[in-house]
Amino acid sequence: MYSKKDYLKHTILFILTLIATTLAGGEWVYGKSVIAKGDDFLSWDFFLRSFAFSIPFIGILLIHELGHLFTSIHHKVKSSLPLFIPAWLGFLGIPSIGTFGAIIQMKSFVNSRKKFFDIGVAGPLAGFVIALGVLTYGFTTLPAAEYIYEIHPEYADPEFEGYGDQVVDFELGNNLLFSLMSSTLADPERMPELSELIHYPFLFAGYLALFFTALNLLPIGQLDGGHVIFGLFPKRHKEISLSAFTLFLFYAGLGMISPFFPAEELIIRIPLYLGFLYICYHKSGLTAQTKLTFALSIAASQYLIAYFFPTIQGYQGWLFFGFLLGRVMGTRHPEVSGFKELDSKRKIIGWIAIIIFCLCFSPQPFIFSE
């Protein structure tokens, strides 16, 4: 089914991604880098210790993709092997997690709603189960509170009061599942602040796994969540997908335009933002007039909300993903013949997937502040 060349290419990319995420783990968890000097250099010892982040993280992504692959094989749908995308950006001085994720491609025509549903839901469910195990282990084996002094010895100084206003702080957002597990499994004396979770490799890996699970389960287009919605509501997929995509863009762009911005800034910002929104509906199947109507409606509503709530902010980090969804992937789903309902077991699994999305989704997954 697969050639030696396929196995070689995918294995090399997997190894490169594992190395890249290990390098990224060294930067996030221990503050060490291979391009730094002195005490901040990522020594061989810290590189090996960083596998505590990369192995569970990449392992969860691998299980996710294998869920898709094995289900494809079961349904005799030709698919590629999992393709991992390495992306370590430390040499540019840019923080990264070492990968853009992993994908498999279906290479044969699928004309079955049941097959689309099974293949789509198998990945997130498989990855979610492993992520639960990683997080359970991470929360129940937290090191002593003094562990953080190994990473930040300055915290032990009683006169330490922070880094000043010019340093950008970073912390992970929260989601329902992470909050629930931390409150029920973790020792309160050892549970770190959200701003310090990056230094706990199993928790950081598990959090990222939940982040990717939620992204894949968005009920939009041909994402895994889109396949789930197409399976549960085949006649309403177009409306649900378009509505979810519009709400996603609306929330992401809150704060992009405001009546309190200088007029000279708005003159430039508004046309550019409207053009961006219009482009995001490129593969929506809508007419040009309707796409323009959507763009104007979103921008006008955001502008009006900003008038009454001047400090309101969405999460502008979602805008890039919204662009990829709308411009590259699209919000529509391939058609299949017939609308035969899924059996009761699959319907239950579909609703479980929706619940998992609600538990894993974080409105602001990564927070930067001064």
Side-chain angles (χ1 to χ4, degrees), residues 229 233-241:
I229 294 300
F233 314 105
K235 296 181 181 180
R236 293 288 178 263
H237 177 275
K238 181 179 179 181
E239 292 87 348
I240 295 174
S241 176

Side-chain angles (χ1 to χ4, degrees), residues 328-342:
V328 180
M329 300 176 65
T331 61
R332 293 180 292 177
H333 194 281
E335 295 295 334
V336 299
S337 59
F339 292 101
K340 183 180 178 181
E341 284 195 17
L342 297 178

Side-chain angles (χ1 to χ4, degrees), residues 115-315:
K115 290 181 181 180
F116 267 126
F117 176 86
D118 288 355
I119 294 170
V121 80
L125 289 185
F128 178 74
V129 171
I130 305 302
L132 276 181
V134 169
L135 285 172
T136 299
Y137 179 80
F139 281 122
T140 56
T141 60
L142 286 171
E146 291 75 21
Y147 160 78
I148 198 62
Y149 297 149
E150 297 179 21
I151 314 298
H152 291 291
E154 67 276 8
Y155 288 0
D157 185 350
E159 297 183 0
F160 178 73
E161 297 181 353
Y163 294 100
D165 295 334
Q166 301 304 312
V167 174
V168 176
D169 292 326
F170 169 82
E171 68 178 59
L172 302 180
N174 214 338
N175 56 60
L176 291 175
L177 180 64
F178 205 85
S179 178
L180 178 64
M181 294 186 73
S182 64
S183 62
T184 56
L185 298 178
D187 180 350
E189 297 293 328
R190 300 186 176 196
M191 184 61 197
E193 299 290 335
L194 290 174
S195 58
E196 303 297 345
L197 280 175
I198 57 173
H199 301 307
Y200 295 73
F202 290 101
L203 296 184
F204 190 28
Y207 179 87
L208 291 176
L210 299 186
F211 167 73
F212 279 108
T213 297
L215 278 191
N216 279 284
L217 284 176
L218 281 167
I220 299 172
Q222 296 186 58
L223 293 173
D224 296 338
H227 292 319
V228 170
I229 294 300
F230 186 71
L232 292 174
F233 314 105
K235 296 181 181 180
R236 293 288 178 263
H237 177 275
K238 181 179 179 181
E239 292 87 348
I240 295 174
S241 176
L242 187 59
S243 298
F245 179 66
T246 300
L247 289 173
F248 186 76
L249 280 182
F250 181 82
Y251 168 71
L254 281 173
M256 282 293 293
I257 55 175
S258 167
F260 301 102
F261 289 169
E264 57 273 19
E265 182 179 344
L266 286 176
I267 291 174
I268 299 174
R269 183 180 285 251
I270 289 178
L272 289 176
Y273 185 53
L274 286 172
F276 170 81
L277 292 174
Y278 181 86
I279 292 172
C280 284
Y281 285 94
H282 176 73
K283 287 192 174 183
S284 62
L286 302 174
T287 64
Q289 182 178 356
T290 305
K291 287 187 282 189
L292 182 59
T293 300
F294 268 83
L296 288 169
S297 299
I298 290 174
S301 300
Q302 291 171 334
Y303 189 86
L304 182 62
I305 289 175
Y307 176 80
F308 291 102
F309 304 96
T311 61
I312 195 168
Q313 287 289 325
Y315 187 72

Side-chain angles (χ1 to χ4, degrees), residues 88-127:
W88 176 66
L89 303 177
F91 64 94
L92 296 175
I94 300 174
S96 66
I97 56 175
T99 181
F100 289 135
I103 59 172
I104 69 165
Q105 295 176 309
M106 288 187 281
K107 295 185 175 182
S108 59
F109 179 68
V110 181
N111 193 29
S112 166
R113 187 156 60 99
K114 182 179 73 173
K115 290 181 181 180
F116 267 126
F117 176 86
D118 288 355
I119 294 170
V121 80
L125 289 185

